[in-house]
């Protein structure tokens, strides 16, 4: 503010003059454009990843050969790299690509939404898109699962589920049961019920938890009986990160009965195994039981949007958030129910049923399991077990020492723990390098190759995978190791 003295014949007085309202133009940082990002080569991508994203992760990407590949586009069951090579996708974004890559109906729905300049952020008003998607999920969900909360990730949906369960259970029953080898997310709340030392690290987590073996109904019953402070139990219906683990039908029937008997709220995590992956929309539907709360994500976004949902029984939801005083305790965040995400999910759900993809998951999944069992019979010293449901399948290898000639086993067996995951890593890397097939792995049982292809997967796609595995395993363990080592020194 500047003071200016203006002369006057009678008086002199100070006059204030406002400063100029225009600010100096900000210098634009050295930003990349979209086209420049598209044009990055592999070497520059690697430099930027190492400098700004996760240099430690780059180590594992190099081991698997991922660092040599730049994906230019993707369609259906395939990625296409910088050299025009088509890579068959049995990884499936950890189960987030039920419709495959860039399904035409999803692309068209999103393009129309954009062309018509419809609203994205509807937090100040009711959203017709969020309302319609919530209705659709209620129509799909069995029993009285009909109250919906939207988020952007599985972790967010599971956070909402755990918070809802704790509030509905009441302050006298804050304890939550979870399972060994579980994975429910990496945010701090659900990290407390995620059974992974790597992810839990040294974070200070909530202590109101009780850990039990997965699928052990006696341990659960003992916990419920001995600790009246237990108000909820959180379980994946099929454990993904644990190595594609299932519990028998009798377990789920007994669990439902125990929860009813002791008044415990059952939260079913269907983030990975839901949205049709198991051959039913929800994996728990195979057992003719209904949880109190469930959560889906990943494939709900049709491979084009980050979408997640918690779906709860109305009485449970209303107990926690059913009054004006409590309604906003855990209301949707800014991007919960975002317009384009919701219409993408609406179209995804319609495509699932219109194109019979849930039935295809059941049929093609059964074919995949049968073909893998043939390989297990052919290579019993390499393949320990094949298991799964629908297009959520695990291929478990023996510990490394057990795959070697008998004379070498005693020497190598002392290293089995350190070598755990090495064979699955060798196989995954060579499948990609030599056969153009991409597979996934699991967090806890590192001997397991995880197969989560799009639900559009055909028997012909399965045959390509089986032929590649047969050819690779037919080399023998010694040759596989040598071939992998050669790939690392080139």
């Amino acid at each position: 503010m500047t003071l200016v003295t203006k002369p006057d014949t009678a008086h002199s007085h100070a006059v204030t003059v406002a400063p100029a309202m225009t600010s100096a133009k900000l210098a634009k940082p050295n930003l990349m454009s979209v086209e420049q990002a598209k044009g990055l080569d592999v070497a520059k991508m690697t430099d930027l990843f190492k400098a700004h994203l996760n240099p430690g992760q780059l180590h594992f990407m190099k081991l698997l050969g991922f660092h040599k590949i730049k994906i230019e586009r993707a369609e259906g069951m395939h990625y296409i790299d910088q050299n025009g090579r088509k890579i068959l996708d049995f990884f499936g974004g950890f189960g987030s690509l039920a419709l495959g890559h860039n399904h035409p109906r999803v692309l068209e729905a999103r393009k129309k939404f954009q062309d018509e300049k419809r609203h994205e952020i509807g937090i100040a008003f009711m959203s017709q898109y969020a309302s319609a998607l919530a209705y659709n999920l209620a129509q799909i969900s069995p029993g009285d699962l009909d109250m919906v909360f939207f988020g952007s990730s599985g972790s967010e949906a599971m956070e909402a589920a755990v918070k809802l369960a704790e509030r509905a259970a009441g302050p006298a029953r804050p304890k939550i049961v979870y399972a060994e080898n579980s994975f429910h997310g990496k945010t701090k709340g659900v990290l407390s019920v995620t059974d992974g030392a790597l992810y839990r690290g040294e974070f200070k987590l909530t202590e109101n938890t009780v850990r039990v073996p997965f699928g052990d109904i006696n341990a659960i019953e003992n916990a419920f009986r001995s600790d009246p402070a237990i108000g909820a139990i959180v379980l994946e219906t099929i454990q993904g990160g644990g190595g594609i683990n299932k519990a028998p039908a009798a377990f789920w029937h007994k669990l439902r009965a125990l929860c009813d008997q002791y008044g415990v709220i059952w939260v079913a995590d269907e983030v990975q195994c839901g949205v049709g992956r198991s051959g039913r929309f929800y994996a728990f539907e195979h057992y003719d039981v209904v949880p109190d709360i469930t959560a889906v994500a990943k494939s709900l976004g049709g491979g084009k949007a980050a979408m997640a949902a918690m779906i709860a029984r109305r009485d449970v939801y209303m107990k926690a958030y059913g009054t004006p005083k409590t309604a906003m305790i855990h209301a949707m965040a800014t991007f919960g129910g975002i317009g384009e995400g919701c219409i993408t999910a609406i179209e995804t759900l319609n495509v699932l049923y219109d194109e019979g993809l849930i039935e295809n998951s059941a049929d093609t999944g059964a074919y995949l399991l049968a073909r893998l069992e043939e390989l297990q019979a052919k290579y019993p010293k390499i393949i320990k077990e094949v298991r799964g449901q629908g297009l959520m399948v695990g291929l478990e290898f023996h510990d490394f020492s057990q795959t070697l000639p008998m004379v070498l086993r005693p020497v190598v067996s002392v290293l089995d723990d350190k070598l755990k995951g090495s064979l699955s890593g060798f196989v995954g890397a060579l499948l990609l390098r030599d056969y153009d097939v991409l597979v996934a792995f699991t967090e806890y049982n590192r001997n397991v190759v995880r197969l989560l292809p799009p639900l559009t997967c055909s028997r012909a796609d399965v045959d390509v995978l089986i032929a590649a595995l047969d050819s690779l395993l037919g080399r023998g363990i010694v040759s596989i190791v040598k071939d992998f080592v050669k790939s690392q020194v080139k």
Side-chain angles (χ1 to χ4, degrees), residues 262-308:
Y262 288 94
V264 173
I265 295 170
W266 169 23
V267 179
D269 183 341
E270 294 260 340
V271 168
Q272 188 171 128
C273 61
V275 194
R277 179 146 300 279
S278 74
R280 300 290 296 271
F281 187 85
Y282 296 108
F284 60 73
E285 291 182 278
H286 288 285
Y287 310 114
D288 196 27
V289 290
V290 181
D292 302 297
I293 306 169
T294 190
V296 292
K298 293 189 182 291
S299 283
L300 184 62
K304 299 300 290 185
M307 279 297 299

Side-chain angles (χ1 to χ4, degrees), residues 17 41 52 61 74 126 151 153 200 246 267 319 340-341 358 384 387 406 455 463 466-467 483:
V17 179
D41 61 22
H52 303 297
M61 297 181 78
M126 288 185 290
S153 70
R200 292 168 75 95
K246 296 169 55 183
V267 179
K319 190 173 182 180
E340 192 168 338
I358 300 176
K384 179 179 179 180
R387 55 183 178 268
M406 189 69 69
L455 307 191
D463 290 341
I466 297 300
D483 290 343

Side-chain angles (χ1 to χ4, degrees), residues 137-160:
L137 286 169
Q139 291 294 110
I140 290 169
S141 301
D144 49 358
L145 291 168
D146 62 1
M147 297 297 291
V148 181
F149 168 94
F150 291 123
S152 302
S153 70
S155 293
E156 189 179 358
M158 284 303 298
E159 289 276 358

Side-chain angles (χ1 to χ4, degrees), residues 88 90 367 371 458-469:
L88 184 63
F90 269 80
Y367 180 70
R371 294 301 315 275
S458 68
R459 292 191 172 204
D461 295 321
V462 171
D463 290 341
V464 171
L465 169 71
I466 297 300
L469 279 167

Side-chain angles (χ1 to χ4, degrees), residues 73-90:
R73 61 189 182 89
E75 185 175 354
M77 282 288 298
H78 294 89
Y79 288 104
I80 297 91
D81 76 359
Q82 72 271 30
N83 301 311
R85 177 173 66 140
K86 294 180 72 175
I87 299 169
L88 184 63
D89 185 10
F90 269 80

